[in-house]
Amino acid sequence: MPGKILVVGEMKGDSLKKVTLELVSAANLIARDGGLEVDAVLVGDGSRKLASELAAYPVKTVYVAESESLKNYSSEGYSSVVSNLMKEISPYGVLFGQTPFGSDLASSISGKLGVGFVSDCTGLSNEGGKLVVTRPVFGGKASARVSFRNSSLCLMGIRPNVFAVAEKANGAKAAVKEISGETGQIRAKVREVLKEVGERIELTEVKIIVSGGRGMKGPENFPLLEGLAAALGGAVGASRAAVDAGWIDHSHQVGQTGKVVSPTLYIACGISGAVQHLVGMSSSKCIVAVNKDPDAPIFKFADYGIVGDLFEVLPVLKEELSKLIH
Amino acid sequence: MWRLGTSAADSFDRGMDDMNLLVVLKQVPDTDAQIRIKDGKLDTSGVKFVVNPYDEFAIEEALRIKEKRGEVKITLLTLGPKRAVEALKSGLALGADEAFHLVHETIDGSDPYLSAFVLAKAIQKLEADIILCGKQGIDYYCEQTGIILAELLNLPHVAVVTKLEISDDGKQVTAHREIDGGIEVVESPVPLVVTAQKGLNEPRYASLKGIMAVRTKKIEEWSLQSLGLTPDEISGQARVNYESVTTPPSKPPAKIIQGEARDAARELVKILIEEAKVI
């Protein structure tokens, strides 16, 4: 297997996103066996500054493109820049985060260069020079083993929270190389970005999720979940029932028509466990269910369960956890 | 009217009351369906198939555009086996005008590049100002086909859209799309590809009248050969190889923590720290 593995990094504000460091460790995992080089690329506002930060991790070269036309994300602009780099350095595999950014960009490049892209990978292996990925299908009810037909260039979208965050490299510092920020024509342009009120934590990347369903009874009870999530340094999720009832915004929905999450700990409160919800959270490492109904299907999928009133259980949980932390 | 593949100048006379919407939809296994694997592949016998839920948002949006603008034609396109005609009928019952069925028994969306390639060949024969797709299929969760399709047709796209506005002259759209921590407001000229996210609208149910009207509407079957594709060309467009699909071993049920709420909660914290080691 020739060449390089390229990591397409992501930034948020003035820091590298955690998923970028997960991609670096995933890339090193597959590069190790084949003696491959791991490179990274950062595109957009602030990339020059963050490139030196990324250079402290186990990568050989960090490519960076920052220009006025790359100030806002655009599929057309960013995919031109990354495609041009790919043509120049001919990487064997390119890793993206399975995030709104990575998913959009990788699909554009797949179409532009006519190369295969396997999204939402949860496992990667290098089998004697052949890259093989595993990914959940049919809502996590099955797992597929996928390889590439034309093995000279493969794009992979890596699910956040699956791979460990890379450790800094010992003393060594990667080279930082400026590349062309030439975008070509951009037809679909970002006019503005509407930030949500407050800094919302992205559900797909958080380690702990406290989720509420119909059993929460109303929007007035969601602060209970928020309190517990805050005590754990996590975020609040919701089932479709809670979202459809208008108790919480859709951006919190976990499940078939919401987000697919894979946190370390998922606490399902007052969620019965419809298949459509399980689709979104079944790959969580540890699932806890709190529900009054001992026959709720969620107990078949959870690791631990409390059959009881969540309005009694949650405050105690929060209290106990707060004690531990403070 | 904008026929893809013709130049912008040809559409000079296009009036505001003349718009073509193309909805690409897909039939998928119902999420309630039990998944059985046979010989490393999904065993579809006895599985109930439905219209992909994200595609329902795409159809609904097309219907709303038509209701608002009047002279709009909604064309449906699907790629799939014979049974997928049912998905087209569902869309026609809701109010779409005509439908095209690219019949192929094995292309199932697990290779989004291949699907997009074939769909693009078909779309080049149709008329479309806005191509609407669901943001992803709920079978393979690839979230790629609409975007690759845009690239292959050399069109801009806006993906994961939760709000769509079309200018009065029909030449530009403004769309909201979900990104990490916020919403991006994107402007794009028409023609383009839009992929629909939940939140875009609330899909309706078909009326009895709508269901009755399906009989009078056109559903045209196209083979891949009729698009000029040979089996070799099709396999040449495949990019990925599903070597096998397996179902995980079933999980034991939850360990139920006994006792009063207070005691159980305390015990849970202990277990999460000491046994599960997740805190």
Side-chain angles (χ1 to χ4, degrees):
Chain A
M1 185 161 80
K4 304 157 191 255
I5 302 286
L6 180 67
V7 165
V8 179
E10 248 177 269
M11 308 170 294
K12 186 169 193 177
D14 52 5
S15 55
L16 288 172
K17 272 180 80 170
K18 185 164 74 85
V19 70
T20 303
L21 302 178
E22 294 172 0
L23 296 177
V24 170
S25 75
N28 275 282
L29 195 75
I30 46 177
R32 197 179 49 201
D33 301 332
L36 303 181
E37 182 182 314
V38 176
D39 290 342
V41 60
L42 288 176
V43 181
D45 232 13
S47 55
R48 269 189 208 114
K49 196 170 139 264
L50 288 175
S52 60
E53 195 178 312
L54 187 53
Y57 290 87
V59 294
K60 189 93 191 268
T61 307
V62 181
Y63 296 96
V64 46
E66 188 170 354
S67 72
E68 192 51 38
S69 54
L70 295 168
K71 203 164 160 38
N72 278 319
Y73 174 72
S74 68
S75 308
E76 290 169 293
Y78 278 47
S79 64
S80 291
V81 170
V82 178
S83 299
N84 288 340
L85 174 66
M86 284 168 57
K87 284 183 206 154
E88 197 181 310
I89 68 171
S90 308
Y92 173 70
V94 186
L95 303 189
F96 300 81
Q98 187 66 33
T99 61
F101 168 88
S103 170
D104 194 74
L105 180 57
S107 305
S108 286
I109 295 172
S110 168
K112 204 178 282 274
L113 300 182
V115 295
F117 168 37
V118 177
S119 38
D120 203 17
C121 306
T122 51
L124 288 179
S125 59
N126 181 349
E127 297 179 359
K130 184 172 96 167
L131 282 182
V132 177
V133 308
T134 48
R135 64 185 306 269
V137 288
F138 307 120
K141 287 186 237 175
S143 171
R145 194 183 128 90
V146 189
S147 58
F148 294 85
R149 296 262 175 161
N150 175 353
S151 55
S152 66
L153 181 56
C154 340
L155 312 179
M156 288 155 276
I158 310 296
R159 190 188 277 202
N161 269 338
V162 174
F163 290 90
V165 167
E167 302 277 337
K168 284 191 177 170
N170 269 342
K173 205 83 167 118
V176 175
K177 260 193 195 164
E178 193 100 10
I179 56 169
S180 162
E182 185 53 55
T183 58
Q185 188 198 16
I186 299 174
R187 293 165 293 185
K189 292 189 184 89
V190 174
R191 195 180 66 198
E192 61 179 317
V193 178
L194 310 173
K195 295 269 183 226
E196 297 213 342
V197 184
E199 248 330 79
R200 179 164 61 85
I201 306 172
E202 182 54 33
L203 267 192
T204 50
E205 293 174 45
V206 77
K207 290 235 173 227
I208 296 177
I209 294 174
V210 184
S211 239
R214 208 187 295 274
M216 293 305 295
K217 299 210 165 110
E220 67 280 6
N221 295 319
F222 273 73
L224 261 179
L225 301 177
E226 283 155 20
L228 180 56
L232 287 161
V236 173
S239 72
R240 178 176 173 170
V243 170
D244 285 356
W247 299 345
I248 189 164
D249 182 73
H250 165 249
S251 61
H252 293 268
Q253 187 182 324
V254 171
Q256 181 201 295
T257 46
K259 286 176 173 150
V260 176
V261 298
S262 36
T264 321
L265 174 60
Y266 189 89
I267 306 179
C269 310
I271 291 177
S272 63
V275 177
Q276 289 79 357
H277 187 71
L278 299 171
V279 160
M281 45 68 89
S282 59
S283 65
S284 307
K285 191 173 162 218
C286 177
I287 299 169
V288 172
V290 182
N291 202 306
K292 272 205 296 212
D293 175 10
D295 297 324
I298 190 84
F299 288 120
K300 290 201 192 86
F301 297 89
D303 298 284
Y304 302 101
I306 294 180
V307 179
D309 185 349
L310 64 94
F311 297 104
E312 288 176 36
V313 174
L314 296 191
V316 184
L317 270 183
K318 189 195 153 193
E319 188 188 312
E320 291 292 316
L321 288 162
S322 302
K323 263 195 254 168
L324 282 171
I325 292 158
H326 299 295
Chain B
M1 218 179 297
W2 201 303
R3 184 180 280 273
L4 291 164
T6 59
S7 75
D10 296 336
S11 61
F12 187 73
D13 291 333
R14 201 164 63 117
M16 63 174 285
D17 56 353
D18 186 4
M19 184 169 241
N20 286 301
L21 303 178
L22 180 72
V23 182
V24 180
L25 58 90
K26 184 183 179 191
Q27 202 188 36
V28 296
D30 190 357
T31 38
D32 283 327
Q34 187 89 46
I35 295 297
R36 283 186 314 273
I37 304 298
K38 200 171 145 191
D39 304 326
K41 282 198 166 64
L42 174 69
D43 177 8
T44 54
S45 59
V47 171
K48 185 185 164 209
F49 284 86
V50 297
V51 175
N52 180 39
Y54 289 103
D55 302 350
E56 291 182 341
F57 301 124
I59 299 173
E60 177 63 33
E61 196 62 18
L63 296 171
R64 290 186 186 200
I65 295 168
K66 182 173 175 140
E67 280 159 3
K68 199 170 163 192
R69 299 182 70 92
E71 291 296 306
V72 169
K73 188 171 85 179
I74 302 174
T75 303
L76 306 176
L77 173 67
T78 196
L79 164 62
K82 284 274 186 192
R83 61 169 153 73
V85 72
E86 294 305 322
L88 294 176
K89 285 181 185 168
S90 303
L92 291 173
L94 288 168
D97 299 291
E98 56 174 24
F100 294 86
H101 184 183
L102 271 166
V103 184
H104 196 279
E105 292 300 320
T106 58
I107 299 177
D108 64 357
S110 57
D111 188 336
Y113 186 88
L114 175 61
S115 301
F117 178 84
V118 174
L119 288 167
K121 285 273 177 203
I123 292 172
Q124 277 162 347
K125 295 173 67 133
L126 297 167
E127 284 157 350
D129 295 290
I130 303 179
I131 299 166
L132 293 138
C133 313
K135 74 152 182 156
Q136 65 183 179
I138 58 145
D139 45 2
Y140 290 99
Y141 278 81
C142 292
E143 209 176 334
Q144 301 175 27
T145 308
I147 302 175
I148 298 175
L149 190 56
E151 288 291 338
L152 296 178
L153 294 167
N154 190 26
L155 295 179
H157 77 265
V158 192
V160 201
V161 168
T162 52
K163 188 178 172 186
L164 185 67
E165 283 170 356
I166 303 165
S167 63
D168 288 345
D169 66 3
K171 288 179 180 161
Q172 174 154 307
V173 303
T174 304
H176 284 198
R177 62 182 300 261
E178 279 184 1
I179 55 163
D180 284 358
I183 300 283
E184 251 175 23
V185 184
V186 184
E187 283 177 348
S188 172
V190 169
L192 85 161
V193 175
V194 168
T195 79
Q197 162 70 321
K198 186 183 180 185
L200 179 60
N201 52 47
E202 199 59 54
R204 71 192 69 187
Y205 294 99
S207 64
L208 186 60
K209 195 175 152 216
I211 294 166
M212 298 302 284
V214 173
R215 282 180 304 180
T216 64
K217 293 179 177 177
K218 176 168 97 172
I219 302 181
E220 197 170 310
E221 269 189 24
W222 284 351
S223 66
L224 268 52
Q225 287 105 299
S226 72
L227 298 176
L229 290 168
T230 65
D232 279 354
E233 273 174 286
I234 295 163
S235 63
Q237 295 303 329
R239 292 293 182 268
V240 300
N241 188 15
Y242 270 63
E243 297 188 353
S244 61
V245 177
T246 48
T247 43
S250 60
K251 214 174 155 177
K255 186 168 157 185
I256 301 294
I257 301 160
Q258 304 295 339
E260 289 292 305
R262 232 185 147 72
D263 300 333
R266 287 208 185 97
E267 178 66 14
L268 173 64
V269 171
K270 207 172 136 201
I271 288 174
L272 292 179
I273 295 168
E274 291 170 10
E275 187 181 298
K277 297 187 171 69
V278 289
I279 298 180

